[in-house]
Amino acid sequence: MNIRRKDIIDNFIKNHADAKRALQRWIDIVEKSEWKSHADIKSDFPTVDYVGNERYVFNIRGNNYRMVAVVIFTAGLLTIRFLGTHDKYDKIDCKTI
């Protein structure tokens, strides 16, 4: 998968250095994958949730943080839309972000 908006990860790590290793592992897995369906994502990330509108919510660093990403299977493209704490996640509408 091709990851768009990695700058969101870079900016997040500046304030949450504890997430760096987990996010690098996430990147490594996603970039090596060739997901074609929801089942493919679940095989790599069993706790991922589909929330509608092509958006998936990933738990990062033992569920300390949340990431919302749009996944376009046919294009092999994942676009990060949000990365943050649970408090900030609770304030967004992940179906439209």
Side-chain angles (χ1 to χ4, degrees):
M1 298 296 289
N2 183 10
I3 301 172
R4 287 188 171 170
R5 298 295 320 268
K6 282 188 193 175
D7 61 302
I8 291 174
I9 292 174
D10 295 335
N11 292 331
F12 187 77
I13 289 171
K14 290 177 186 175
N15 294 316
H16 302 278
D18 63 314
K20 184 176 182 175
R21 196 167 111 195
L23 287 166
Q24 187 56 58
R25 181 178 177 276
W26 181 88
I27 289 169
D28 292 344
I29 292 169
V30 173
E31 288 183 334
K32 291 176 185 173
S33 69
E34 295 181 10
W35 299 329
K36 302 294 182 202
S37 69
H38 174 81
D40 293 340
I41 296 176
K42 287 293 255 185
S43 70
D44 287 329
F45 298 100
T47 62
V48 72
D49 290 316
Y50 178 68
V51 294
N53 202 21
E54 300 177 330
R55 282 150 173 82
Y56 287 83
V57 177
F58 295 86
N59 296 319
I60 305 295
R61 197 178 167 266
N63 203 22
N64 287 315
Y65 305 109
R66 294 263 173 108
M67 177 189 294
V68 178
V70 174
V71 179
I72 308 296
F73 296 109
T74 56
L77 187 63
L78 179 146
T79 304
I80 300 168
R81 300 301 300 258
F82 169 86
L83 175 59
T85 63
H86 277 275
D87 287 343
K88 289 186 179 179
Y89 172 81
D90 289 342
K91 294 176 183 171
I92 66 167
D93 179 357
C94 53
K95 290 181 184 178
T96 61
I97 195 165

